[in-house]
């Protein structure tokens, strides 16, 4: 299994929130994001967010 690079462009306010959450756990932002992505419930939470976004924009 190889590795890949994921690049994100995010709002400054969101980055500060991520920094705060990561700092509370003694982690870097990168480690915090990766840890969040590998959580067991991430897929379910992500699908819920997608569903809510589609509902908001009237896609579904």
């Amino acid at each position: 299994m190889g590795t890949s690079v994921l690049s994100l462009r995010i709002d400054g306010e969101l980055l500060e929130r991520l920094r705060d959450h990561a700092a509370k756990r003694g982690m870097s932002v990168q480690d915090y994001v990766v840890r969040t992505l590998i959580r067991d419930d991430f897929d379910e939470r992500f699908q819920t967010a997608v569903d809510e976004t589609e509902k908001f924009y009237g896609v579904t």
Side-chain angles (χ1 to χ4, degrees):
M1 182 170 109
T3 62
S4 299
V5 173
L6 173 63
S7 177
L8 300 171
R9 181 180 306 262
I10 61 174
D11 176 84
E13 184 178 320
L14 176 57
L15 180 57
E16 284 305 313
R17 289 176 52 205
L18 287 170
R19 283 184 180 139
D20 289 344
H21 286 286
K24 288 176 186 175
R25 292 158 181 81
M27 305 170 79
S28 69
V29 172
Q30 292 86 351
D31 289 341
Y32 177 77
V33 170
V34 169
R35 181 174 172 256
T36 301
L37 290 173
I38 61 174
R39 283 180 48 179
D40 289 340
D41 65 342
F42 176 77
D43 289 338
E44 180 181 323
R45 294 172 67 207
F46 181 74
Q47 187 60 54
T48 300
V50 169
D51 293 344
E52 290 297 318
T53 301
E54 288 178 346
K55 192 183 314 178
F56 178 80
Y57 285 106
V59 175
T60 57

